[in-house]
Every structure is written in C-alpha cells, then in structure tokens.
Amino acid sequence: MNDSRDRFQHVLDRLSTKAVDDYYNPYRLLEWPDSLPDDMWWMSPELTTTHGTAVAAGLSEAQLRALSKYESLNFYSLNVHGIRDLLIEVTRRIHTSGYEEPSRFFHHFIGEENEHMWFFAEFCLRYGGRIYRQQPAGERAAPQRKETESLLVFVRILVFEELVDHFNSLMARDTRLHDTVRAINRIHHQDESRHIAFGRELVGLLFEDVRRTADEGELDAVAAYVRRYMTYSFESLYNPRVYRDAGLDDPLGVRRKLLDSPERAELERSVFHRTRTYLERTGLLR
C-alpha cells in the first residue's frame, strides 16, 4: 500500500502541474458560428448507433447525415448529465476525511468539468435547441458499505469518462467534421486524458482498500454492478427520441432492433476495450 500511495502522490503532482500548464479559457477559446450546415456529418458516421446495421441500409445518405445531427446532440447531452452527476459526487467528497490527497487535484477536476458541461450544453442549445433528457438508470442499488459505495462512485465516473473519451478522441481527428465539432472534442479529450489517468489511480487504491476486507460475495456483487453500469452507459447512446426526431418510424422498435444487432455488440467491445482490460487487470471485473 505504501508503494501505491507513493505512486498516487507522484501522479497527483504530475497531473496537477499539467492542468496548470494546459489551462485555457473556453469562453474565449471556442468560436461559435451562427449556424452549422444541416447536411454535414455531425459526428463520425462509424460512431453512430445505426452504422453498418440493417436500419442504416434502409436509409439514404441524406437521412443518415440528418440522423447524425440528433445522435450528436444526444451524445453531448449525455456529457452534460454525466458531468453534472460526477460533479455532485466529487464535490461531496472534496476536503473530507479519506480524500485529503486527491482533493488537491479535485479542484482542477471540478473546474475543468464545469467548463466542459458549459460548452457541451452551449453546443446543444445553439445548434439543436435542446438538451435531451437523461434516460432512467434503472436499478442502481449497490453494496451499502461506505468503502464500497465510494469505490463504485469513482468506477462510474471512470466508465463514463472512458466511454465519452473514445468518441472524443476519434472525432477530434475526423476531417469530415466541422471545425467547431472537432474543437470541442479535441479540448475535451485533452482534459479527459488527465482525468482518466487520475481516475484509474484512485479506483485502484479504493479497490485495494475494499478487497482487503471484502468477502467473495461482496466482490461478486461489485463486479456484477459494474457490468450493469457499463451496459446502461453504453445503451444510453441508443435514444428513441433521437430516432423520432430524425423522422424514423417506430423509434422504440428501431432502438430494440439496434440493441439486438451484432453491430451493437461489436461497437460496445470497441468502445470499452481499454476499460475492460483495466478493470480485469485490477481484479474489479473477475
């Protein structure tokens, strides 16, 4: 544990310095055109929920581009809701017992995530006129022990950040996308790379604490909960309101068809490949 704590301290120092060196003012940095072309690709087509499916085969390219607009608005809306939730949890813990060390980096984390929530919301409201509502999470019950509850809070944050960063990193480099779209993805990816590095170190330490005193039943319950949360997070990309707003018939049926498709399974494997590898290596997913 002492070696782990020393490593964590070193990572905190490095990431805090990097956060200061990379600091920017998003309110000045980002440029917002009055409008964006409706017929452009609003997100990389390979990242849309219909890509390669039978549903996409029945749509024209014009329809797929239009659909990408609403898919992108849903993706940025998920960012808004996810960031709000993680800010609540981190703010509850900053400068409290047990979080003396990470609280130094929490200040950077909270400030940067607040700015991320602002520019994702700004994009949705400027170019879509809405922020899609968050879909119900369903059963969220977790083991009740305080140490386990805190572990799962930061696992949820890590899973969310790794999910959105997969999309951000690809769209930041996609020259088919408008400069404004690429810019917000590039900026978010730049900051999220630090947040993910921090999150992995913190989750590793928290899991070590839990594993020392947990029995097999509790560890199984933790793993099952994490799997359920990963599934919920990924399936949030499949929003029937998106398909309705894009003019598709039977949006709930479209969602069901897409969730049952082999393409969904392949996309999920791709999105969570690094996340699963990390969680299996730590022993969280058994």
Side-chain angles (χ1 to χ4, degrees):
M1 278 298 292
N2 286 336
D3 288 344
S4 297
R5 294 288 177 185
D6 289 344
R7 173 185 166 82
F8 187 51
Q9 192 70 46
H10 174 73
V11 170
L12 281 178
D13 291 341
R14 179 169 55 83
L15 294 178
S16 296
T17 299
K18 187 70 171 168
V20 172
D21 292 342
D22 290 349
Y23 183 74
Y24 60 90
N25 185 339
Y27 306 101
R28 296 185 181 278
L29 179 65
L30 289 167
E31 298 181 2
W32 301 102
D34 292 337
S35 63
L36 296 176
D38 279 334
D39 61 351
M40 70 179 191
W41 285 114
W42 288 69
M43 69 188 303
S44 302
E46 297 81 8
L47 297 176
T48 59
T49 60
T50 60
H51 180 71
T53 67
V55 172
L59 301 175
S60 67
E61 181 167 322
Q63 288 175 306
L64 291 172
R65 287 175 183 258
L67 179 59
S68 77
K69 174 179 180 177
Y70 299 103
E71 293 243 29
S72 74
L73 293 173
N74 181 60
F75 174 65
Y76 300 133
S77 296
L78 291 175
N79 278 268
V80 172
H81 298 308
I83 291 169
R84 183 186 60 241
D85 291 348
L86 68 83
L87 283 174
I88 291 170
E89 296 291 358
V90 172
T91 303
R92 284 178 57 202
R93 289 167 172 79
I94 191 170
H95 295 303
T96 63
S97 177
Y99 292 94
E100 293 84 0
E101 291 176 325
S103 287
R104 294 188 298 114
F105 187 73
F106 280 164
H107 284 284
H108 298 293
F109 183 93
I110 291 168
E112 291 168 357
E113 291 294 357
N114 178 59
E115 291 169 347
H116 300 163
M117 182 165 55
W118 170 76
F119 62 65
F120 284 128
E122 188 73 7
F123 185 94
C124 291
L125 295 173
R126 277 179 180 265
Y127 305 123
R130 79 199 72 177
I131 295 173
Y132 280 109
R133 294 197 305 273
Q134 190 170 25
Q135 298 191 74
E139 187 270 317
R140 288 278 294 270
Q144 296 301 307
R145 194 155 63 101
K146 180 181 177 182
E147 293 83 0
T148 308
E149 178 187 1
S150 291
L151 166 65
L152 293 178
V153 163
F154 286 100
V155 170
R156 290 200 302 270
I157 291 174
L158 181 62
V159 166
F160 163 73
E161 291 187 317
E162 298 217 12
L163 168 67
V164 299
D165 188 60
H166 177 86
F167 285 73
N168 295 150
S169 61
L170 293 174
M171 288 196 282
R173 304 191 301 269
D174 191 341
T175 56
R176 294 168 295 181
L177 304 181
H178 192 281
D179 287 348
T180 299
V181 173
R182 295 178 66 194
I184 63 173
N185 281 281
R186 182 178 64 252
I187 292 168
H188 197 235
H189 172 58
Q190 172 184 301
D191 292 342
E192 287 304 281
S193 61
R194 291 193 302 275
H195 296 185
I196 289 170
F198 168 75
R200 287 188 173 199
E201 295 294 330
L202 181 57
V203 164
L205 281 177
L206 293 173
F207 183 59
E208 286 182 20
D209 287 341
V210 168
R211 184 160 51 181
R212 282 202 308 274
T213 56
D215 59 25
E216 290 298 308
E218 186 175 9
L219 294 176
D220 286 341
V222 166
Y225 176 87
V226 172
R227 290 192 188 94
R228 291 196 303 274
Y229 185 76
M230 291 174 72
T231 297
Y232 159 74
S233 299
F234 184 78
E235 291 186 356
S236 296
L237 298 167
Y238 294 75
N239 189 340
R241 298 185 185 96
V242 165
Y243 311 133
R244 178 200 62 196
D245 292 344
L248 302 187
D249 294 332
D250 187 16
L252 287 173
V254 168
R255 182 178 194 266
R256 185 72 267 154
K257 186 181 296 184
L258 291 171
L259 288 177
D260 290 341
S261 70
E263 290 80 12
R264 180 213 60 81
E266 181 57 37
L267 180 59
E268 184 173 1
R269 279 193 293 270
S270 174
V271 168
F272 279 137
H273 172 70
R274 290 185 304 168
T275 313
R276 285 188 182 279
T277 300
Y278 164 76
L279 293 173
E280 289 169 358
R281 187 172 69 246
T282 62
L284 255 161
L285 289 184
R286 312 175 74 199

